Amino acid sequence: MMASAAEAIADIEDGASVGIAGFGLSHRYPSTLISALAEKGTRGLTVYCNGLGQPGFPTGHVLAENHQIAHLVTCFSARPGVVSEAEKQIDAGEMTLEMVPQGTLVERMRAGGAGLAAIYTPTGFGSEIAEGKDIRYFDGRPYVLERAITTDFALIRAQQADHFGNVVFRGGSQNFNVSFAKAARVTIVEAEEIVETGAIAPEDVDLPGVFVTRVVPITVRMDIRNLPKRANRPPSSAKEYLGKPALTREQIGRRAAALLPDNSVVNLGAGLPVQVANWVRDRPVVLHAENGLLNYGGFATDEELDPDLHDAGGMFVTTRDGTSFFDSVTSFEIARGGRLYAVILGTYQVGANGDLANWSAPGMIGGGIGGAMDLAAGAQHVFTTLEHCDSRGRPKLVERCEFPLTMPNCVDAIITDLALLRRPSRGGRDPGRFTLEEIAAGFTVDEVLSMTGMSVDVADPVGVMQEAWL
């Protein structure tokens, strides 16, 4: 144990590589250690992270605001609605950027910590992430070569640690901490509670002390209840087309939930897909979140809010009987290992051939890959939930995607605020065109087709979306 964070990070010198754990905009960043590193002023850092977090708060963005980062390796370099200091520096050429899928990042860290040189992964094939990398085929399927990662330092946050370095995480807050710790030469842990060696039962240790170099007490915390939130249209409000209301965001989630069979394991992506959680209710549908939750429940009320219980979209959630927690490596083993019946993702565009484009749009510096590439590569089915047209009235369902691809030819079902379209599952052959199966009440088939930018078949008869969940 060390007396202060300043002492613990004193040997992080200019040019060092640092893995910084934490999830989303605000969840369990090592704010004490980040603040100390910002105060020290070390420059030229290579930073590995899921994302830099919420600007203006003690997250990784503090280091960007201090111009301490030279190279950023991340899953989220940009989010809609605001241009961060990091984006400005990347755009100006002051900071270089490498975008990496979330599951690939933790697997590269896991490999580095395990003494491996590289891995082959199905994630990223068919996207610009795979450009220039070695592609090999195993059993007829393409895999991308990714180099393992090791770092000089890792900064992580824990609920409890002992003087031997054994660490306990709480709830869904293991995420990146474990793989980042194992990949680092020096792992520094800030802990909410530091106890004597032996006070933590052996079976409760989430990270053994052999992977931990230093432990310090937490002195800097984030008030997650009062963080600013990006302005979204309320889930209960409906967008209008041709002067008529379409489905609300809640209703899109409700229709998507009705597509899920009992006993299926389903991942919900960030954004609109999280609405599905409230419509699963007491059905035997198991929800999976890539930050490390399985079989969680609907949204938490203010009274139920627990900072260590959140989904991958940052929504605070409840537990159900049988809920389990784990780190992100295990989470992506579930995803890539074929154990997901479906992943439900938000997207910018879907192509007529099932191409998915959901991580970057014009004007973004990099973008937000998150876990989408891993999830699309591993799930048995890919569903997308989105609004039928963008804010300028342009179709999001297009003949050919103009935005960078997440994965080609992967989408099986599209649920918009105007329509449900499906095509036969991939199954090793060309599944053909999407079929318009349902439309929102109050609209005609011709009206929906007029706002659809891809060629589709039309079912006979076409159903009504609102009637499908009655």
Side-chain angles (χ1 to χ4, degrees):
M1 177 179 172
M2 306 193 83
S4 70
E7 181 184 358
I9 59 91
D11 57 345
I12 302 182
E13 300 294 345
D14 290 356
S17 58
V18 185
I20 299 179
F23 200 90
L25 291 175
S26 60
H27 298 294
R28 297 313 196 191
Y29 280 83
S31 297
T32 302
L33 295 168
I34 290 171
S35 298
L37 186 56
E39 181 68 23
K40 184 175 188 291
T42 305
R43 294 187 175 275
L45 296 172
T46 295
V47 170
Y48 296 85
C49 60
N50 178 43
L52 289 173
Q54 178 69 45
F57 287 79
T59 65
H61 265 295
V62 172
L63 304 179
E65 290 159 3
N66 284 358
H67 295 262
Q68 292 176 257
I69 302 174
H71 182 56
L72 179 64
V73 182
T74 186
C75 314
F76 288 94
S77 64
R79 297 178 187 267
V82 63
V83 178
S84 70
E85 179 58 37
E87 291 173 76
K88 294 175 184 176
Q89 291 176 36
I90 294 166
D91 192 40
E94 299 174 30
M95 182 191 301
T96 55
L97 171 68
E98 178 186 347
M99 296 297 301
V100 59
Q102 197 174 95
T104 299
L105 178 59
V106 293
E107 192 66 16
R108 290 173 67 189
M109 289 281 188
R110 183 208 61 78
L116 304 180
I119 58 167
Y120 277 102
T121 174
T123 302
F125 179 77
S127 77
E128 64 182 53
I129 296 302
E131 291 178 2
K133 297 176 181 176
D134 183 47
I135 308 295
R136 298 285 180 92
Y137 284 77
F138 298 90
D139 298 323
R141 188 180 184 189
Y143 289 77
V144 182
L145 180 70
E146 295 281 2
R147 291 287 303 271
I149 295 172
T150 56
T151 62
D152 298 320
F153 298 88
L155 310 183
I156 70 175
R157 184 193 190 283
Q159 178 65 24
Q160 194 176 60
D162 66 18
H163 290 267
F164 187 73
N166 291 319
V167 170
V168 175
F169 301 104
R170 182 175 180 276
S173 293
Q174 291 188 46
N175 47 71
F176 285 77
N177 288 294
V178 176
S179 59
F180 278 31
K182 292 178 179 179
R185 177 176 56 84
V186 175
T187 295
I188 310 173
V189 177
E190 60 176 75
E192 197 71 53
E193 181 184 15
I194 299 175
V195 299
E196 293 297 324
T197 300
I200 300 173
E203 61 269 23
D204 292 335
V205 174
D206 295 315
L207 179 67
V210 69
F211 296 109
V212 175
T213 314
R214 301 163 192 163
V215 176
V216 299
I218 290 174
T219 57
V220 179
R221 297 173 176 82
M222 293 178 63
D223 179 7
I224 60 170
R225 292 176 181 269
N226 295 312
L227 283 173
K229 292 182 172 57
R230 184 161 57 93
N232 284 320
R233 191 164 52 257
S236 58
S237 68
K239 187 174 180 177
E240 288 196 352
Y241 300 89
L242 306 176
K244 297 180 287 189
L247 269 66
T248 66
R249 294 170 71 86
E250 287 177 327
Q251 290 173 325
I252 295 172
R254 187 174 183 178
R255 183 65 192 95
L259 295 176
L260 305 175
D262 286 352
N263 302 312
S264 57
V265 182
V266 180
N267 177 278
L268 304 181
L272 206 160
V274 301
Q275 296 295 327
V276 172
N278 280 342
W279 297 107
V280 168
R281 295 178 174 167
D282 59 354
R283 289 181 58 204
V285 172
V286 177
L287 298 181
H288 165 269
E290 59 262 36
N291 57 303
L293 280 79
L294 191 68
N295 200 28
Y296 63 92
F299 297 166
T301 64
D302 287 343
E303 293 73 25
E304 295 172 318
L305 188 151
D306 184 317
D308 294 308
L309 296 179
H310 60 88
D311 64 17
M315 303 296 294
F316 292 103
V317 295
T318 57
T319 59
R320 307 170 78 181
D321 290 343
T323 296
S324 58
F325 305 121
F326 34 83
D327 74 336
S328 291
V329 171
T330 302
S331 193
F332 284 102
E333 289 171 344
I334 294 171
R336 285 192 308 269
R339 290 169 171 81
L340 296 177
Y341 169 80
V343 56
I344 304 178
L345 298 169
T347 188
Y348 295 122
Q349 290 182 330
V350 180
N353 63 346
D355 286 356
L356 175 70
N358 81 339
W359 72 272
S360 186
M364 296 181 74
I365 306 299
I369 294 176
M373 287 187 183
D374 300 272
L375 294 161
Q380 299 167 36
H381 304 279
V382 176
F383 299 166
T384 61
T385 57
L386 64 157
E387 292 172 341
H388 210 84
C389 297
D390 66 17
S391 59
R392 296 171 59 181
R394 297 171 297 189
K396 292 186 177 183
L397 310 185
V398 296
E399 202 64 37
R400 183 179 179 86
C401 289
E402 300 170 354
F403 299 171
L405 292 188
T406 303
M407 185 173 174
N409 190 28
C410 66
V411 178
D412 301 303
I414 304 169
I415 307 98
T416 79
D417 50 358
L418 289 179
L420 168 66
L421 303 96
R422 287 197 279 190
R423 62 181 189 153
S425 296
R426 289 158 276 166
R429 60 183 178 82
D430 182 1
R433 303 205 309 181
F434 284 96
T435 296
L436 177 65
E437 295 186 358
E438 298 173 10
I439 59 175
F443 291 85
T444 68
V445 169
D446 286 343
E447 286 174 335
V448 172
L449 290 177
S450 74
M451 293 179 280
T452 303
M454 63 167 65
S455 300
V456 301
D457 295 327
V458 179
D460 184 16
V462 173
V464 176
M465 297 178 78
Q466 288 91 330
E467 294 177 0
W469 65 61
L470 295 179

